[in-house]
Amino acid sequence: MSETNMEEKVDQTTNSRTISLPISRVRLIMKSSPDVSCINQDALFLTTKATELFVQHLALSSYENGSSKDTNSLSYSDLADTVEETETFQFLTDILPKKILARDYLKTLEEMEKEDDNL
Amino acid sequence: MDGDSSTTDASQLGMTGEYMASSHFVLHAQDDEGDDGLNDHEDGNECKDNLREQDIYLPIANVARIMKNAIPQTGKIAKDAKECVQECVSEFISFITSEASERCHQEKRKTINGEDILFAMSTLGFDMYVEPLKLYLQKFREAMKGEKGISTVTVTEGMGDELTDESFANPLPAGIITADGQQQNVMVYTTAYQQIPGVQQLQFS
């Protein structure tokens, strides 16, 4: 279901010729990668447009996948959950750690220690 | 515009960055509005120290706008979600770029072209973007060609107007537009040469 919506969104984007992201900034980010010397104009435009698609994809997937049914809003944890569950977004797991409450973490630690003791 | 040229310099930090007086950075940061700042932070003095590769983001306003347009109208987006996507975007760009760059190196090429980017996307699991992107590139190229075509026609039409004053046959303007157009212009102008001083200049071009 969400994939069909995704395709529709992508179609809409393709029809619009305007780019809503600053190309110079995209170039800056690309150049910050090691060993990158020259970037073709086509490559730059494609990357910028792809980034737009990516933002839409991530936002929509997370919104539909997450707790938005209850709260009607997209939260950090929706993003973190989607990133963990979707293979395509797995490269983001390092920068999107799931947030857990400190006391939950301590509880988990305690339980782990108990298991070790039992062993 | 000033902001962009300054940030380009900043990306070559290394020695150049160190060499530049910190006041340069302070001025730059103060001139920046929130959206143009690299980090979208307001600390001018700390700018130099905070300017690491991983801190280069796209402006949060642009990112937030795209997100907003993607989700249903009534949906809201938490602030930390916007910031988070901002970081994800930089990560995405770097991800694609390094994959494309690697392929370039393997094939002993120095310039990353469109094909490399599309191939990288396909490899990294974003193949659903490839077809729409190809379409977009095609449309964009057509739009660019269209602009060039118009500018050529405008110039020749202008000359055509002057020539019709001399009661030349109408097909001439069309002839000028063809590939041999320039030579034809010269031939045409020689007859008008004595009568229209302005045409003299056109011959030199």
Side-chain angles (χ1 to χ4, degrees), chain A residues 27 30-31 34-47, chain B residues 96-120 141:
Chain A
R27 185 194 285 124
M30 289 177 86
K31 282 207 161 250
D35 299 332
V36 167
S37 42
C38 294
I39 304 168
N40 183 348
Q41 186 82 321
D42 282 351
L44 192 55
F45 282 125
L46 282 174
T47 308
Chain B
I96 299 286
T97 307
S98 51
E99 182 68 28
S101 170
E102 214 181 283
R103 182 157 183 255
C104 257
H105 277 292
Q106 280 174 7
E107 299 186 0
K108 303 275 193 330
R109 282 183 286 117
K110 287 195 177 160
T111 308
I112 302 179
N113 61 28
E115 281 304 311
D116 296 326
I117 298 288
L118 290 175
F119 186 80
R141 280 181 178 161

Side-chain angles (χ1 to χ4, degrees), chain A residues 9-10 15 19-20 24-25 28 30 32 35 37-38 40 42 45 50 54-55 57 60 72-74 88 96, chain B residues 4 11 36 53 57 62 69-70 74 76 78 84 89 97 105 110 112-113 121 125 128-129 132 136 139 141:
Chain A
K9 278 290 172 190
V10 165
N15 289 336
I19 311 179
S20 40
S24 52
R25 191 71 70 84
L28 199 63
M30 289 177 86
S32 73
D35 299 332
S37 42
C38 294
N40 183 348
D42 282 351
F45 282 125
F54 173 74
V55 172
H57 188 186
L60 191 58
N72 202 35
S73 98
L74 179 63
T88 321
L96 260 179
Chain B
D4 279 348
S11 76
D36 290 343
E53 284 175 4
Y57 303 135
N62 300 50
N69 291 338
T74 52
K76 283 168 278 179
C84 164
V89 156
T97 307
H105 277 292
K110 287 195 177 160
I112 302 179
N113 61 28
M121 278 195 226
M128 69 291 243
Y129 297 174
Y136 166 72
K139 286 190 179 177
R141 280 181 178 161

Side-chain angles (χ1 to χ4, degrees), chain A residues 3-16 49 53-54 56-57 60, chain B residues 128-133:
Chain A
E3 271 205 38
T4 336
N5 284 345
M6 185 59 230
E7 281 167 14
E8 281 172 8
K9 278 290 172 190
V10 165
D11 284 341
Q12 282 173 19
T13 319
T14 317
N15 289 336
S16 69
K49 200 65 185 175
L53 296 179
F54 173 74
Q56 294 178 327
H57 188 186
L60 191 58
Chain B
M128 69 291 243
Y129 297 174
V130 171
E131 284 312 316
L133 285 175

